[in-house]
Amino acid sequence: MSVSAFEGTAIQFPPSDLIAFDHWLSAIPVTSTTGWRWRKRGWIKTVNICGRIYISRQEISRFEERAAAGEFAKTHTTPKRKGADQ
């Protein structure tokens, strides 16, 4: 819990449910471009507060559950080499 002192009175606040989106991306580690793509595709929902992007802990767990279930999985295709057909 964080504590704030205002005129000698300590007020305790519960920890926030929101995490800065860029902090979460660096913790997993994923680039900001990948995070932008996830947001654009609707894979993850964020909150914009005064121009700063945040993500809730519930949304992180929902995203991780969907990823573990294989919802975002694709088959990997290796690009063909140039001149391999010859």
Side-chain angles (χ1 to χ4, degrees):
M1 294 208 155
S2 60
V3 178
S4 175
F6 180 72
E7 295 182 14
T9 306
I11 303 170
Q12 293 191 1
F13 298 100
S16 176
D17 182 48
L18 298 176
I19 300 169
F21 190 59
D22 58 334
H23 289 244
W24 177 66
L25 291 175
S26 63
I28 52 178
V30 171
T31 65
S32 59
T33 304
T34 300
W36 174 82
R37 286 187 190 119
W38 291 351
R39 291 176 53 215
K40 182 180 174 186
R41 292 177 182 162
W43 290 0
I44 198 153
K45 296 176 185 167
T46 57
V47 179
N48 184 336
I49 301 175
C50 294
R52 181 102 191 242
I53 306 298
Y54 294 91
I55 185 168
S56 68
R57 295 179 195 274
Q58 289 86 12
E59 182 63 21
I60 291 170
S61 63
R62 187 179 75 86
F63 177 79
E64 289 174 346
E65 288 172 4
R66 291 170 62 199
E71 186 174 330
F72 312 123
K74 290 185 179 180
T75 56
H76 178 71
T77 56
T78 306
K80 295 183 180 181
R81 294 184 184 187
K82 293 181 182 180
D85 296 332
Q86 299 173 0

